[in-house]
Amino acid sequence: MESLASLLLAAGKGTRMKSGLIKVLHPIAGVPMISWPVAAARDAGSTTNVLVVGHQATAVQSVFRGAADIRCAMQEEQLGTGHAVACGLDALEGFHGTVLILCGDTPLLRSETLQALLAFHREQRAVLTVLTALLDNPFGYGRVIRDQAGSVARIVEQKDATPDEEAVCEVNSGIYCMEVDFLRGGIRQIGNDNAQGEYYLTDLVGIAARQGLTCLALPTADAEEIMGVNDRVQLAEAARILRRRINQRHMLAGVTFIDPETTYIDEGVTIGADSVLHPGCQIGGATIIGSGCEIEQNVTITSCRIGNDCHIKAASVLEASELADDVAVGPMAHLRPGTVLGTHVKIGNFVETKKITMGKGSKASHLTYLGDAEIGSNVNIGCGTITCNYDGVNKHRTLIGDDVFIGSDVQLVAPVSVGRNSLVAAGTTVTSNVPPDSLALSRVPQLNKEGWRLKKR
Ligand code: UD1
Ligand code: CA
C-alpha cells in the first residue's frame, strides 16, 4: 500500500463563533468538531495525521491524547493556510507519499469522498488534486479558474477576485491531495502579496500549473460535504446533518426511531437491533444499549452500559450506570454515576440512586433515595425509603442482604447493615445493624384520645 498522511489545519481561533472556545473544539453530535475530519482521514487510510495547532493548542492535543497516529505542529502566528501547511510539513520529515490536506472546520466531509479523491489523484498521477464543488452562491469561497482547455490554472480568493472571476461557480473546498515532494518545493515559492497579506495555500495550484505538472480538480457529487462551519448557525446546521446520518446508520442496523428528527444520538453510541427509541431521547457518551430495549420519550442517557430487553420509561435520566438484562427504570427516575443493577431489577418513579449495586430481582418502586449502598438480590425497598448516607462531613455505606423486605418510609442511617432475610417494619429509623432473619421495628407507640376533636369545637 502507498503511504498516506494528512495535515489538518486547526490553528485559527474561529472569530465568528464569538466564543471563548476555539472553533474546532465545539462539540458536534457529542464529539469535538476536529474529530470528524480526523476520523475521515483515518478511514481513508491515513496513518500519520498532523494537526496544525495554534490557539488553545494543548486543549486540541488533549482530544487525541494517547493516539499514536496523531502529531501536532505548532503555528504560533496565523499567517495563512500556506504558512500553516509549511508548519505542518515540519512534522512530516522523512515522509514519502501522498498528503491529504483538510480543514478542522469541515465536519461533514465523508471518508468515501476522500477515497474517491485519492483514487482519482493516483490514477491520473497528479501532483495536486483539489476537491471542488459547484455552488449556486459561491460567495466567500476561493474560485477555481480553468484555462480554455478546461485544465485548472489557479485558484483566486474572494477578496482578490475580479468580477469575471467572481462569476465562476466552481469553488475550492479547501480539501486537497498532494504529493509531498511537490508540496515541499512548492510551499517555499508562496508569497503573501495579496488582498489579505496572507500566505495562501491555494497559490500552489498556479505554481503546479505553471511548471506543467498535473494539477487537477475533482468536483464533489454532494456540495453539502464541503460546508465549513464558521458561525453557530452553521454549527447547528452541520449538527443536524450529522445526527441524521447517525440515526440512519442505526435504523439500517435494525433500531426503530419513532421520530428520528427529534432523537439525539451522539457519535460513538452503540444500540442493538430491535430496540425502540421514542421522541426526545438524548443518548451520548459512548453508551452501549443492548437489543430489544425500549427507551421512552425524553429519556437522557450518558455513558451507560445497558443490557438486552431493558425498559427505560419516560423522562428518566441515567448517568454512568450499568444495567443487566430485563431491567425496568422510571418513569422519572434518576440513576446517578456508579449505579449497577442486576437482571430483572425494577426502579420506579421518583427514585434516585447513586453508587449502589442492586442484585437480581430487587425492586425500589417509588419515591426513594438509595446512595452508597450494596443491596442483595430479591430485596424489596418500600416507598419513601431513604439511605441517610451523609453526616455533613463523610459519606457512609448501607448494606442490605438478600431477600430483605424494607417497609415504606424507612430511614437507614449509615453506616448500617440489614442481614439477609430480615424485615424492617414501615416507618422504622434503622440506626443499628439488623441481624439476619429478624424483624426491626422502631416506632413511637400510638396514642388515641377519643372524642378529642369534639371537645375542641
Ligand atoms: C480557504 C481557502 C479558500 C476555500 C476555503 C474553503 C485559502 C487561502 N483559501 O479560505 O480557497 O474556498 O478555505 O473553506 O486557503 N488556518 C490555520 N492557520 C492559518 C490560517 C488558517 O490553521 O494561518 C486554518 C483555519 O483554522 C481553518 C482553515 O485553515 O481551519 C481554513 O482557514 P480559513 O481562514 O477559514 O480559510 P478561508 O478564508 O475559509
Ligand atoms: Ca473557512
Side-chain angles (χ1 to χ4, degrees), residues 7-14 21-25 32-35 37-38 50-61 63-64 70-76 78 80-81 83-85 87-88 101-106:
L7 289 175
L8 292 109
L9 310 190
K13 186 166 174 295
L21 185 67
I22 58 159
K23 179 164 74 179
V24 297
L25 291 182
M33 194 186 302
I34 182 77
S35 314
V38 167
V50 178
L51 307 180
V52 180
V53 293
H55 289 281
Q56 300 177 16
T58 34
V60 180
Q61 267 164 304
V63 170
F64 301 97
I70 300 284
R71 299 179 194 171
C72 286
M74 194 66 190
Q75 187 194 20
E76 299 283 356
Q78 280 77 59
T81 48
H83 178 248
V85 166
C87 295
I101 300 179
L102 310 176
C103 291
D105 63 355
T106 52

Side-chain angles (χ1 to χ4, degrees), residues 156-179:
V156 56
E157 290 305 297
Q158 174 73 47
K159 287 181 178 148
D160 300 290
T162 63
D164 274 358
E165 290 166 340
E166 268 192 79
V168 172
C169 288
E170 186 176 13
V171 304
N172 171 23
S173 67
I175 295 153
Y176 318 80
C177 246
M178 298 196 202
E179 290 311 299

Side-chain angles (χ1 to χ4, degrees), residues 225-245:
E225 277 189 49
I226 68 142
M227 178 189 143
V229 171
N230 294 309
D231 56 34
R232 302 212 198 206
V233 176
Q234 290 170 324
L235 179 73
E237 177 66 10
R240 194 179 57 79
I241 293 165
L242 286 171
R243 276 201 306 269
R244 191 183 291 160
R245 284 188 198 166

Side-chain angles (χ1 to χ4, degrees), residues 135-328:
L135 300 185
D136 295 336
N137 175 15
F139 185 84
Y141 286 94
R143 307 297 205 284
V144 178
I145 310 300
R146 293 175 181 264
D147 62 19
Q148 276 97 344
S151 306
V152 179
R154 61 205 164 83
I155 292 176
V156 56
E157 290 305 297
Q158 174 73 47
K159 287 181 178 148
D160 300 290
T162 63
D164 274 358
E165 290 166 340
E166 268 192 79
V168 172
C169 288
E170 186 176 13
V171 304
N172 171 23
S173 67
I175 295 153
Y176 318 80
C177 246
M178 298 196 202
E179 290 311 299
V180 77
D181 297 334
F182 161 73
L183 180 55
R184 282 192 227 276
I187 205 85
R188 286 197 290 264
Q189 299 173 39
I190 293 177
N192 63 352
D193 180 18
N194 53 52
Q196 301 186 82
E198 286 185 4
Y199 293 89
Y200 289 166
L201 180 63
T202 44
D203 284 358
L204 279 180
V205 172
I207 290 167
R210 280 198 298 278
Q211 291 176 21
L213 299 168
T214 311
C215 172
L216 303 168
L218 180 70
T220 170
D222 179 5
E224 182 182 81
E225 277 189 49
I226 68 142
M227 178 189 143
V229 171
N230 294 309
D231 56 34
R232 302 212 198 206
V233 176
Q234 290 170 324
L235 179 73
E237 177 66 10
R240 194 179 57 79
I241 293 165
L242 286 171
R243 276 201 306 269
R244 191 183 291 160
R245 284 188 198 166
I246 291 169
N247 290 358
Q248 276 174 6
R249 194 175 71 220
H250 288 297
M251 287 186 267
L252 293 173
V255 179
T256 294
F257 285 64
I258 304 296
D259 180 16
E261 288 297 311
T262 60
T263 309
Y264 304 85
I265 313 298
D266 283 350
E267 179 66 4
V269 169
T270 307
I271 308 172
D274 284 326
S275 285
V276 179
L277 307 181
H278 290 254
C281 25
Q282 306 201 30
I283 305 175
T287 288
I288 299 174
I289 296 176
S291 59
C293 291
E294 180 145 10
I295 316 291
E296 289 187 1
Q297 59 273 24
N298 301 327
V299 164
T300 303
I301 302 176
T302 316
S303 305
C304 290
R305 202 173 247 280
I306 296 177
N308 300 324
D309 302 307
C310 290
H311 188 175
I312 315 299
K313 298 175 196 172
S316 296
V317 177
L318 285 67
E319 308 164 83
S321 295
E322 244 174 79
L323 281 60
D325 297 342
D326 293 295
V327 172

